[in-house]
């Protein structure tokens, strides 16, 4: 595991992007599968891509997927796809046929099945699961990642790449990338910024705690290739041993 600590959230976004460029260079094939998340952290990343990397990233190679989606229409303010479209997809030259959105407006169980079949068809197999070239995951203050929340351990071992889930705090239905594809990606990366994430990041990464009770901790402990990208505020409670 590698932990990259930057001075600011903006610098952390640049480091994530440089790692993406590195992965693109390492994976020498015409198409590169990247799965992205939503949320505040993603906003910074997406704005950076639109403003500074709209030419330097080889968008023509990238097939874009989503880690998770809220079960809303693409024009709803909660839509992860809608956020990406507004902040960078409308501003970069990525071929339309390479944008594979989760249809949040569809029946959650049916859409999870459809999207599972899509990624299984499009991506190479790794021990029975589709393998993304890179994932950019976020993490909630409760330790959830994708839309797999604490107590939803069945989604960490699900045989399907995507499954319907529910946000336990507000009952919102979601569609989530399950645990096993997160473990098998070419690079599983967590982009975690902000002082409000300091406590949970320390718990997830501390080897002396029961980190696996958090979905993000389970992924951190078991992923084949994993890196964390964070800022000084989020890393404030890691301690010198983890820094």
């Amino acid at each position: 595991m590698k932990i990259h600590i930057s001075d600011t959230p903006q610098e952390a976004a640049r480091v994530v992007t440089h790692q993406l460029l590195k992965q693109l260079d390492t994976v020498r094939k015409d198409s590169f599968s990247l799965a992205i998340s939503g949320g505040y952290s993603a906003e910074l990343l997406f704005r950076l891509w639109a403003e500074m990397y709209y030419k330097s990233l080889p968008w023509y190679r990238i097939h874009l997927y989503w880690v998770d989606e809220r079960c809303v229409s693409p024009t709803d303010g909660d839509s992860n796809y809608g956020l990406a479209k507004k902040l960078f997809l409308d501003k970069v030259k990525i071929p339309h046929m390479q944008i594979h959105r989760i249809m949040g407006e569809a029946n959650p169980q049916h859409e999870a099945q459809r999207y599972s079949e899509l990624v299984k068809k499009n991506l190479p197999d790794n021990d029975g699961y589709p393998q993304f070239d890179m994932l950019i995951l976020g993490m909630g203050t409760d330790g959830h990642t994708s839309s797999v929340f604490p107590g939803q351990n069945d989604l960490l071992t699900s045989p399907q790449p995507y499954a319907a889930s529910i946000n336990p705090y507000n009952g919102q239905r979601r569609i989530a990338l399950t645990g096993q594809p997160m473990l098998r990606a070419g690079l599983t990366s967590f982009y975690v910024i902000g002082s409000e994430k300091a406590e949970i990041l320390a718990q997830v990464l501390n080897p002396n705690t029961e980190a696996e009770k958090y979905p993000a901790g389970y992924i951190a402990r078991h992923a084949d290739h994993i890196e964390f990208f964070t800022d000084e505020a989020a890393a404030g409670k890691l301690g010198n041993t983890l820094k």
Side-chain angles (χ1 to χ4, degrees):
M1 181 193 299
K2 293 182 181 178
I3 304 172
H4 307 266
I5 302 174
S6 301
D7 291 338
T8 66
Q10 291 78 12
E11 180 59 26
R14 282 190 285 271
V15 176
V16 173
T17 305
H18 291 164
Q19 184 62 53
L20 171 57
L21 285 164
K22 200 170 160 184
Q23 285 295 108
L24 280 155
D25 188 54
T26 300
V27 179
R28 297 189 175 276
K29 58 183 183 181
D30 292 337
S31 64
F32 181 94
S33 55
L34 171 67
I36 58 173
S37 304
Y40 168 71
S41 299
E43 288 189 30
L44 293 178
L45 194 60
F46 296 165
R47 291 183 192 279
L48 180 72
W49 289 354
E51 294 168 7
M52 296 185 63
Y53 292 90
Y54 62 96
K55 289 184 178 179
S56 56
L57 273 167
W59 298 106
Y60 66 93
R61 286 181 58 203
I62 295 174
H63 278 255
L64 196 64
Y65 298 85
W66 270 259
V67 170
D68 62 342
E69 183 58 278
R70 286 129 173 170
C71 292
V72 296
S73 77
T75 58
D76 191 285
D78 277 350
S79 171
N80 286 342
Y81 165 77
L83 178 70
K85 185 176 188 299
K86 178 177 71 173
L87 295 184
F88 85 96
L89 289 179
D90 286 344
K91 302 173 185 179
V92 301
K93 293 183 178 180
I94 180 169
H96 176 72
M97 295 299 292
Q98 293 174 202
I99 300 172
H100 309 282
R101 80 174 180 94
I102 299 173
M103 297 181 183
E105 69 274 24
N107 175 279
Q109 284 75 23
H110 294 170
E111 180 59 10
Q113 180 64 32
R114 183 196 72 85
Y115 208 70
S116 290
E117 293 302 323
L118 175 72
V119 296
K120 286 192 285 188
K121 176 183 175 182
N122 290 357
L123 304 183
D125 181 89
N126 181 341
D127 196 24
Y129 293 91
Q131 182 179 48
F132 291 94
D133 291 314
M134 184 171 175
L135 303 174
I136 301 179
L137 302 173
M139 183 179 70
T141 54
D142 62 349
H144 86 264
T145 191
S146 180
S147 282
V148 181
F149 293 87
Q152 298 176 348
N153 293 349
D154 58 314
L155 297 182
L156 295 174
T157 57
S158 171
Q160 290 299 320
Y162 283 82
S165 70
I166 295 178
N167 181 330
Y169 308 110
N170 61 15
Q172 184 184 59
R173 296 183 299 172
R174 298 189 178 192
I175 296 167
L177 178 65
T178 58
Q180 299 308 301
M182 285 194 264
L183 300 181
R184 291 167 170 79
L187 177 63
T188 302
S189 59
F190 277 88
Y191 175 47
V192 182
I193 57 173
S195 58
E196 70 277 7
K197 302 290 179 68
E199 183 65 38
I200 189 62
L201 184 62
Q203 292 185 54
V204 162
L205 292 179
N206 192 327
N208 296 320
T209 65
E210 296 179 3
E212 291 192 28
K213 67 183 179 181
Y214 305 108
Y218 178 88
I219 300 303
R221 294 288 179 90
H222 297 286
D224 292 339
H225 306 284
I226 187 161
E227 299 190 18
F228 276 76
F229 300 84
T230 187
D231 63 350
E232 284 287 354
K237 296 188 177 182
L238 290 184
N240 292 330
T241 56
L242 287 174
K243 289 186 179 183

